[in-house]
Amino acid sequence: MIAVILVRPASATAGSAADRLRQSIDKILAVLADPSLKGEAQNQRRREKLRQIVYERFDFTEMAKRSLGPQWQKRTPDEQKEFVRLFSDLLESAYLDRIESYSGEKVRFVSERQESGFAEVKTRIVNPKGEELSLDYRLHEVGGDWKVSDVVIENISLVNNYRSQFSRVLARSSYEGLIQAMRQKKLSAPGTST
């Protein structure tokens, strides 16, 4: 998911959703290249800067809501707020290490489609060996900006992946059991095993 934010696109199609992604990519690359943020002693400062950029571009509330599915409406506002925080923490722990392990991958913007406040930006990550990974972003317009509401990694939707995991936990346990599993980070995102 966030791996694509790490690299500068070789080329980008016109359109504000792709432009917004490119802006986020450039900000992340600047943090990763900043000599004052390198090394173990700067981990916390570097991660905070990366976290700010990611949170600026991703709509974690929308992603959490869609991942929880029909259970979302059954939760109180306080439970929803806690769920969004845990969901964000889950994604953050899965991907910040990947962002920091950036090693020269390139991103190729393949296409962009926009319609009625929604957009899909298709990209390919190309590693130094020339192997490609498809990474597509689904965005929606929020207050004049484009926010990521789902990421599709090699045809696997992040939102659908989590919804399936959450549904399995809820079927054999309870909402409280799901919250406990999220606190313990026992759920995984697609593409985080490599």
Side-chain angles (χ1 to χ4, degrees):
M1 167 190 88
I2 296 178
V4 83
I5 292 181
L6 300 178
V7 295
R8 183 179 312 276
S11 65
T13 59
S16 62
D19 289 345
R20 295 295 190 190
L21 285 173
R22 187 174 337 119
Q23 290 171 6
S24 295
I25 290 167
D26 289 344
K27 288 178 183 179
I28 285 178
L29 288 174
V31 169
L32 294 173
D34 185 341
S36 73
L37 295 172
K38 298 221 183 261
E40 289 290 321
Q42 298 303 318
N43 276 353
Q44 187 173 348
R45 277 186 60 221
R46 183 177 58 250
R47 284 191 170 220
E48 183 54 37
K49 288 183 177 293
L50 292 171
R51 187 179 297 117
Q52 288 172 1
I53 297 163
V54 170
Y55 276 64
E56 178 181 284
R57 183 61 45 221
F58 282 73
D59 187 345
F60 288 112
T61 300
E62 180 66 17
M63 294 174 81
K65 178 180 176 180
R66 292 178 56 219
S67 294
L68 191 54
Q71 281 288 321
W72 179 262
Q73 296 302 326
K74 298 177 183 179
R75 311 292 22 125
T76 67
D78 285 343
E79 288 173 327
Q80 290 175 350
K81 185 176 179 181
E82 178 187 29
F83 186 83
V84 170
R85 182 183 58 75
L86 290 171
F87 183 82
S88 301
D89 289 348
L90 193 64
L91 290 180
E92 182 180 311
S93 70
Y95 291 107
L96 276 185
D97 286 341
R98 293 186 70 172
I99 287 175
E100 291 179 314
S101 69
Y102 167 68
S103 60
E105 295 85 1
K106 302 294 179 202
V107 170
R108 187 167 51 89
F109 279 50
V110 176
S111 66
E112 177 181 16
R113 182 175 49 92
Q114 292 184 17
E115 184 178 320
S116 303
F118 294 92
E120 182 174 52
V121 178
K122 293 183 174 285
T123 69
R124 299 295 175 267
I125 298 177
V126 183
N127 70 18
K129 296 178 184 177
E131 301 165 331
E132 291 190 359
L133 169 78
S134 71
L135 192 65
D136 303 331
Y137 292 90
R138 294 179 181 156
L139 304 96
H140 65 141
E141 198 170 2
V142 179
D145 197 5
W146 290 101
K147 303 288 185 176
V148 174
S149 59
D150 195 8
V151 179
V152 181
I153 303 167
E154 287 293 309
N155 299 316
I156 300 172
S157 160
L158 187 71
V159 166
N160 290 344
N161 175 276
Y162 276 118
R163 186 182 306 178
S164 295
Q165 291 183 69
F166 295 164
S167 293
R168 283 192 299 274
V169 172
L170 289 166
R172 69 176 182 260
S173 181
S174 63
Y175 179 75
E176 291 72 25
L178 173 60
I179 293 299
Q180 189 63 26
M182 292 175 76
R183 283 185 183 130
Q184 297 171 357
K185 297 182 177 33
K186 291 185 175 180
L187 304 163
S188 63
T192 58
S193 59
T194 59

